[in-house]
Amino acid sequence: MYNREHVTKLPKTSSEIISEAKAALNPPLYIKPLTTNRPFTPRERVFFCQRRTNRPPSAFKLQHVQLQENKKTSCTKLPALDNPKYSTANSLDSKKEIKRQTHSISASTTRRRSNSDVANNANISRKKISSLSFPLSIDSLLKNHYEQNVYDHEYMSHENEINEARALCFDVDTDCLWIISLIETKMKKNFETSEMCSLLNKLAMAIKRENLSVIRDENKKETILKTIFKLVNNSPDDDLTVHILLVLLQMQVTGKYLATVCKLMFKISRLDKNDNLFLKTNVLTLFVDILGLATPREDAESLIYGYGALKFLTMNPELMERAMNNGCLSLMLLHLKMINLERTERQVLPETINHVLYQLTGTLRNVVNDRKLYVELLSSGGLLTIYRALELFSGDIDVVTNISRILSIMSTDGKCCEALVDCWSNVSVLMSIIDKYPGQEEIVVRITYTLGNILTNNENARHQLYETHCSMGTFLNLMQLYLEKDLNNISRDVKFNIVEDVLIKIIRVIVNMSIQPEIGAKLVKAADDYHPVHKVKECEQFLDSLLTILRRKSIDENEELVLAALAALNNLSYYADMSNPNHGPFGARQLDITQALSLLLTTRNQFCKVEVARVFGNLTRSAAVRDYLLETSGLLAVTNCLDSGDKELLVVCCGVLVNMTSDENNREAFKNYNGVSKMVNILRSLGENNWTLSALICQTLWNVCSGSDRFPGDPMVVLDTLVKLTDEEQLFGELLSSNEEKVAEYKQWEDFASVATNLLEWLDELLEGRFDNIEQ
């Protein structure tokens, strides 16, 4: 016989049902961090933005480059001749300058000969001969020619052309001044860029071989520089400029020369088509080395354009890797520390140092795209140095923008987030930046994005931020500011709405902060002796903004913003006391919230349905909300969601139905909506694959049968299904001792079994005692 006493034990109080429903669900199904996309940053080669004036120009001319010391030495003047016969006004110097010399085909027998040998006789002392290898055949020919004291202009011109061609084709250990003389000669006529580049390559190798960057041969250096700068002023070709840079960088020039080098680098690097020129040469490697000789205070102009060039070049991953492999990151952090030190030691700094810092932080912003460098940044204290710069230069809006970009990128890494929490001084710096620039979308969106990332997994950060004075007030005022901006029309033609993105990031900060139970409970708490009224007002203001978004924004056009608002309502409503309408802001506004959410239940957007159902899973703890959903066909809409194949939607909808079926009126409506058969079908098809879902279905069926002596359907189907799903040996057997995944699944199964066993026993007693009570 059917045991009537057992039936009297089935009904449970609402609080018991709610407690069981919450226990059956994992907390992450109710509260979870909110994720979002990284703020968009355009990748353009721009020197300075337009927010500040008095910035160095990005366009400049390099005509008339002057030497640091004006001397009369000419790089084109050949050495004086001992023989007066060839040192007169009618000598070779006044008639024809010799261009180049080279190997002959029979290069096995060569000897050394100087520039002046070409214009002198064979008796010139070997002590006055500079290093140049001549082929014996040409040398003998020239010797015979000059011994006859016959000057044949056409013949010598022809020989020079031969020598020049051969000098370009063979690696000859030539003297720097000899190559300079050839360059000077080439400059006097229409030269081929490729030939000049080849000569400049040879000059760079000769400078390295002769170690001119160290040896104090100022006359020689000045001779080279005068010719090279003349070539700079007369040649706009980028390929040629890169080879000129090879020469200047090999000499490791300093002072004004270094500034010119940096400007040349900047000029070439502005166009991404020139990246290949840097990939084909070692100019970038030499450039990083030479920047190490500069200091921000003494060489500000050089570093402004130098880091401006590096900012452009590090947009190319290959060039960035090359620069980093040569120690560029360490150099940048060193310069950044020097700039920070300058700020701490001096109240007033030259504006040029700010310009350097802007270019430097712009380069770092590119560098932090490579996550492989985070280890070095963290181990060297680089992140702390960057954060310190933000504090010291918070008055420079452009620098703040760059550093906020750096922090937003690095905050996507867990270890970087931990390092930020360790160095952020109770987040006062970040909050002060928001307070200082509330209307600057590019800054606010990145600071709030950074905070949202940090709060995702760091409990200490959540407490620090919430306990910071007026932090919630700051975020809510920002939210109100940007909500008004958005509603007062931001152009709908703009594909990417940064104002809307700011709103998303602000909501995310509050959502991720509310994951902490103590904070979440305080956010929705009613006023008492320990919770002041202004805290309650903050929650009310937040709710007003969220409801405005849900009512004024479309899920089709503003999906991420609407989903963020729903996530906020979900997390906060989880902690709200819904049983008392007068207890806290959520209780007072529960029907307003329900009304706004009901409009979204029938949307075609599955993500939206899931988030709405999450919120209703919390709100339906209130009898008033349950009644409202029944009267407005909300229960029907939730029941229809059971036809969805989306497992996540099924789970959250079943959570809502657990609460809804705690009321007798809702049970009857649920039966009429064919809800029981839908749940039985889900249990049969998905039960073994999702124990959480199965537990919720059993809990709902338990509630539906509460106080009844009949099962609304075929109990044998449910009974057979539950017997299979509760067979521990068949499901797990020996796998528990060898399979870690099965161990985790077993814990979920235990939660399901505790609910399913009660329903199974009740069905078993029903079938044994009262077959005539089964509804057909």
Side-chain angles (χ1 to χ4, degrees), residues 118-185:
V118 180
N120 209 344
N121 58 40
N123 296 324
I124 296 178
S125 172
R126 292 288 181 181
K127 295 181 180 180
K128 298 185 180 295
I129 296 178
S130 56
S131 60
L132 177 66
S133 296
F134 262 93
L136 180 60
S137 56
I138 296 180
D139 180 52
S140 301
L141 183 62
L142 291 176
K143 178 180 178 181
N144 295 333
H145 177 77
Y146 284 110
E147 283 178 347
Q148 298 170 7
N149 195 21
V150 177
Y151 182 76
D152 187 335
H153 177 80
E154 293 182 0
Y155 176 80
M156 282 306 301
S157 176
H158 176 67
E159 284 298 324
N160 285 339
E161 291 175 0
I162 294 175
N163 292 339
E164 289 167 8
R166 289 174 174 172
L168 292 172
C169 295
F170 296 95
D171 291 327
V172 182
D173 290 345
T174 50
D175 179 82
C176 293
L177 293 181
W178 173 251
I179 301 175
I180 283 293
S181 70
L182 296 179
I183 292 174
E184 281 279 7
T185 304

Side-chain angles (χ1 to χ4, degrees), residues 345-365:
E345 292 180 346
R346 295 175 176 81
Q347 291 184 350
V348 180
L349 287 180
E351 187 69 12
T352 51
I353 290 186
N354 284 67
H355 301 333
V356 173
L357 182 59
Y358 176 74
Q359 301 302 333
L360 174 55
T361 52
T363 308
L364 278 170
R365 179 252 175 272

Side-chain angles (χ1 to χ4, degrees), residues 15 35 111 145 200 216 384 406 478 536 618 686 692 740:
S15 61
T35 58
R111 70 182 184 83
H145 177 77
L200 290 170
R216 295 184 177 180
L384 177 60
I406 295 171
L478 275 177
V536 179
N618 299 324
L686 300 176
T692 298
E740 293 183 1

Side-chain angles (χ1 to χ4, degrees), residues 141-399:
L141 183 62
L142 291 176
K143 178 180 178 181
N144 295 333
H145 177 77
Y146 284 110
E147 283 178 347
Q148 298 170 7
N149 195 21
V150 177
Y151 182 76
D152 187 335
H153 177 80
E154 293 182 0
Y155 176 80
M156 282 306 301
S157 176
H158 176 67
E159 284 298 324
N160 285 339
E161 291 175 0
I162 294 175
N163 292 339
E164 289 167 8
R166 289 174 174 172
L168 292 172
C169 295
F170 296 95
D171 291 327
V172 182
D173 290 345
T174 50
D175 179 82
C176 293
L177 293 181
W178 173 251
I179 301 175
I180 283 293
S181 70
L182 296 179
I183 292 174
E184 281 279 7
T185 304
K186 278 290 183 185
M187 289 170 58
K188 292 181 179 180
K189 61 180 182 180
N190 293 329
F191 58 83
E192 291 290 334
T193 299
S194 59
E195 290 185 358
M196 187 62 78
C197 288
S198 181
L199 279 176
L200 290 170
N201 271 334
K202 285 184 173 295
L203 179 58
M205 289 187 290
I207 290 171
K208 181 179 181 180
R209 185 173 58 253
E210 296 179 24
N211 205 16
L212 277 187
S213 62
V214 177
I215 296 174
R216 295 184 177 180
D217 190 343
E218 298 302 328
N219 289 334
K220 197 170 192 178
K221 291 180 181 179
E222 186 176 328
T223 299
I224 295 171
L225 290 173
K226 185 173 182 180
T227 299
I228 293 301
F229 283 135
K230 188 187 299 183
L231 188 59
V232 169
N233 293 332
N234 296 328
S235 177
D237 186 271
D238 291 340
D239 191 9
L240 187 59
T241 302
V242 168
H243 286 82
I244 290 172
L245 284 167
L246 272 175
V247 174
L248 296 175
L249 291 170
Q250 199 68 67
M251 294 183 71
Q252 293 190 354
V253 294
T254 58
K256 292 182 179 180
Y257 298 152
L258 177 57
T260 300
V261 167
C262 291
K263 288 181 178 180
L264 284 173
M265 284 287 295
F266 174 79
K267 176 177 176 289
I268 303 301
S269 64
R270 293 187 70 178
L271 301 176
D272 55 7
K273 68 178 183 179
N274 289 332
D275 287 355
N276 194 48
L277 298 177
F278 293 102
L279 289 170
K280 292 190 300 185
T281 64
N282 67 333
V283 166
L284 182 56
T285 300
L286 296 173
F287 183 62
V288 173
D289 290 340
I290 202 172
L291 279 187
L293 304 176
T295 64
R297 186 172 181 84
E298 301 298 330
D299 304 284
E301 184 181 22
S302 298
L303 292 181
I304 290 170
Y305 290 97
Y307 278 120
L310 281 176
K311 180 174 68 176
F312 297 156
L313 294 177
T314 50
M315 290 181 181
N316 184 306
E318 291 183 67
L319 290 174
M320 184 176 73
E321 184 176 3
R322 182 177 297 185
M324 296 304 108
N325 290 340
N326 202 48
C328 188
L329 179 57
S330 299
L331 176 62
M332 287 191 290
L333 294 178
L334 175 62
H335 281 154
L336 187 56
K337 289 178 181 178
M338 295 170 71
I339 292 172
N340 287 348
L341 184 62
E342 289 280 348
R343 169 62 78 186
T344 56
E345 292 180 346
R346 295 175 176 81
Q347 291 184 350
V348 180
L349 287 180
E351 187 69 12
T352 51
I353 290 186
N354 284 67
H355 301 333
V356 173
L357 182 59
Y358 176 74
Q359 301 302 333
L360 174 55
T361 52
T363 308
L364 278 170
R365 179 252 175 272
N366 294 336
V367 169
V368 295
N369 279 325
D370 188 349
R371 301 175 76 91
K372 297 192 298 291
L373 300 172
Y374 289 3
V375 174
E376 181 179 350
L377 270 167
L378 294 176
S379 62
S380 64
L383 184 57
L384 177 60
T385 303
I386 294 169
Y387 194 80
R388 179 63 172 160
L390 177 65
E391 181 179 10
L392 294 173
F393 293 88
S394 61
D396 191 321
I397 186 173
D398 293 333
V399 170

Side-chain angles (χ1 to χ4, degrees), residues 301-519:
E301 184 181 22
S302 298
L303 292 181
I304 290 170
Y305 290 97
Y307 278 120
L310 281 176
K311 180 174 68 176
F312 297 156
L313 294 177
T314 50
M315 290 181 181
N316 184 306
E318 291 183 67
L319 290 174
M320 184 176 73
E321 184 176 3
R322 182 177 297 185
M324 296 304 108
N325 290 340
N326 202 48
C328 188
L329 179 57
S330 299
L331 176 62
M332 287 191 290
L333 294 178
L334 175 62
H335 281 154
L336 187 56
K337 289 178 181 178
M338 295 170 71
I339 292 172
N340 287 348
L341 184 62
E342 289 280 348
R343 169 62 78 186
T344 56
E345 292 180 346
R346 295 175 176 81
Q347 291 184 350
V348 180
L349 287 180
E351 187 69 12
T352 51
I353 290 186
N354 284 67
H355 301 333
V356 173
L357 182 59
Y358 176 74
Q359 301 302 333
L360 174 55
T361 52
T363 308
L364 278 170
R365 179 252 175 272
N366 294 336
V367 169
V368 295
N369 279 325
D370 188 349
R371 301 175 76 91
K372 297 192 298 291
L373 300 172
Y374 289 3
V375 174
E376 181 179 350
L377 270 167
L378 294 176
S379 62
S380 64
L383 184 57
L384 177 60
T385 303
I386 294 169
Y387 194 80
R388 179 63 172 160
L390 177 65
E391 181 179 10
L392 294 173
F393 293 88
S394 61
D396 191 321
I397 186 173
D398 293 333
V399 170
V400 169
T401 300
N402 278 345
I403 297 181
S404 67
R405 288 173 174 173
I406 295 171
L407 297 180
S408 73
I409 298 171
M410 296 194 68
S411 66
T412 58
D413 180 85
K415 292 183 179 179
C416 291
C417 285
E418 293 176 5
L420 277 172
V421 174
D422 292 339
C423 72
W424 70 354
S425 305
N426 294 323
V427 335
S428 55
V429 175
L430 296 180
M431 294 305 297
S432 67
I433 295 298
I434 292 177
D435 287 334
K436 184 172 288 188
Y437 303 105
Q440 295 294 329
E441 294 93 342
E442 290 189 7
I443 294 175
V444 174
V445 74
R446 289 173 175 83
I447 295 297
T448 50
Y449 175 73
T450 301
L451 288 172
N453 288 341
I454 293 172
L455 298 175
T456 299
N457 297 307
N458 197 300
E459 292 186 11
N460 291 333
R462 295 173 195 145
H463 284 292
Q464 286 185 33
L465 183 60
Y466 180 75
E467 293 166 4
T468 299
H469 182 63
C470 294
S471 61
M472 277 298 298
T474 297
F475 292 127
L476 294 175
N477 291 337
L478 275 177
M479 191 172 177
Q480 186 64 33
L481 171 66
Y482 283 94
L483 188 55
E484 290 177 0
K485 278 187 177 184
D486 191 61
L487 296 176
N488 290 337
N489 188 23
I490 302 296
S491 174
R492 300 306 176 194
D493 296 330
V494 178
K495 292 184 179 180
F496 182 79
N497 187 349
I498 189 172
V499 173
E500 183 174 305
D501 201 33
V502 172
L503 284 171
I504 294 167
K505 269 51 175 183
I506 294 171
I507 294 172
R508 179 172 179 252
V509 170
I510 300 175
V511 169
N512 290 356
M513 187 164 51
S514 68
I515 296 172
Q516 199 68 21
E518 298 90 337
I519 297 173

